[in-house]
Amino acid sequence: MKSITAVTFLALCLTVAVTASSKSYYGKTKPANLTDEKVTRVRFYLHDILSGQNPSAVRIAHANLTGRADSPVGFGSLFAIDDPLTVGPEKDSKEIGNGRGMYVSGSKDINKFTIVMYADLAFTEGKFNGSSISVFSRNPVAEEAGEREIAIVGGRGKFRMARGFVKIKTHQIDMKTGDAVLRYDATVYHY
Ligand SMILES: *[C@@H]1O[C@H](CO)[C@@H](O)[C@H](O)[C@H]1NC(C)=O
Ligand SMILES: *[C@@H]1O[C@H](CO)[C@@H](O)[C@H](O)[C@H]1NC(C)=O
Ligand SMILES: *[C@@H]1O[C@H](CO)[C@@H](O)[C@H](O)[C@H]1NC(C)=O
């Protein structure tokens, strides 16, 4: 009974507050300048390093599956990343940004190893310094026949409101450690 009274009181207060204010919470809806959309292609290499003293990808959680605890990339494993982005594929190539976020091993079929990525790829050099692209996508790592594709769903700075896609090609992978260098060819539509 007490809680009902409280709720009624709150509702009453809100009604008063809303009617007392002449300002609405929304602005005028105007046509957007969709014709201002531009497209930029960006190519860089992402270094996803799990091994050694200074890894850029670390496992932060995993499922307790019988007999699978030894597999670092088993279904349900979650990784945090702070992967360097470079101009070329070499380890000492000029760094132009970083990919931060996480990915989860998302396939129960061990023959179709898939990760799902939630990452912000930010640039720290050149024209797009301070801007970033947001990736939220399945990344079918095992589909090595040609390139695979992930989705760009947003961005910051010059890439505000971005959408697009990235074609990914594995440049180099160490099957034992999982260390990989990947070529990212991004097509970014933005304003
Ligand atoms: C669209 O572009 C015009 C001219 O550049 C500008 O005046 C207007 O404010 C823009 N509208 C929006 C919604 O950004
Ligand atoms: C994890 O799995 C092992 C082996 O099956 C089992 O002994 C252990 O109790 C499980 N731990 C949890 C927290 O479920
Ligand atoms: C990138 O932007 C940051 C922040 O504005 C600035 O401190 C840095 O000097 C810039 N780097 C380059 C290479 O322009």
Side-chain angles (χ1 to χ4, degrees):
M1 208 56 203
K2 225 178 199 163
S3 64
I4 291 174
T5 324
V7 167
T8 316
F9 179 67
L10 241 162
L12 220 91
C13 285
L14 272 172
T15 315
V16 170
V18 167
T19 44
S21 159
S22 59
K23 276 218 153 118
S24 59
Y25 68 91
Y26 49 86
K28 200 164 171 247
T29 301
K30 294 177 276 196
N33 289 330
L34 296 176
T35 50
D36 290 349
E37 193 173 34
K38 300 180 276 283
V39 61
T40 304
R41 290 200 164 76
V42 194
R43 171 181 280 191
F44 52 85
Y45 290 81
L46 180 143
H47 301 249
D48 193 49
I49 308 302
L50 292 114
S51 70
Q53 290 299 302
N54 189 22
S56 68
V58 290
R59 191 170 70 176
I60 53 175
H62 68 99
N64 189 24
L65 294 176
T66 313
R68 298 290 298 283
D70 57 325
S71 168
V73 294
F75 172 58
S77 296
L78 181 64
F79 294 80
I81 59 166
D82 184 357
D83 288 344
L85 311 178
T86 59
V87 173
E90 307 81 21
K91 222 185 196 158
D92 55 358
S93 175
K94 184 182 162 75
E95 198 170 318
I96 47 102
N98 54 70
R100 292 181 177 166
M102 53 188 178
Y103 58 76
V104 63
S105 174
S107 172
K108 292 207 285 183
D109 184 345
I110 52 167
N111 298 315
K112 288 190 178 149
F113 177 55
T114 291
I115 59 172
V116 181
M117 293 176 74
Y118 314 89
D120 180 292
L121 311 178
F123 301 100
T124 52
E125 281 282 335
K127 186 179 171 186
F128 295 105
N129 183 13
S131 301
S132 67
I133 53 182
S134 299
V135 163
F136 179 93
S137 185
R138 177 183 296 227
N139 180 347
V141 180
E143 283 173 29
E144 268 309 311
E147 292 172 319
R148 52 189 193 273
E149 182 179 316
I150 60 171
I152 294 170
V153 297
R156 300 184 304 121
K158 290 208 166 74
F159 291 135
R160 185 182 290 171
M161 306 276 293
R163 60 209 174 85
F165 55 91
V166 185
K167 293 280 192 188
I168 303 178
K169 202 162 171 52
T170 304
H171 176 78
Q172 190 185 309
I173 187 159
D174 182 328
M175 285 303 184
K176 240 197 246 147
T177 59
D179 292 358
V181 178
L182 308 141
R183 194 185 75 197
Y184 273 50
D185 271 307
T187 301
V188 194
Y189 290 83
H190 59 104
Y191 291 95

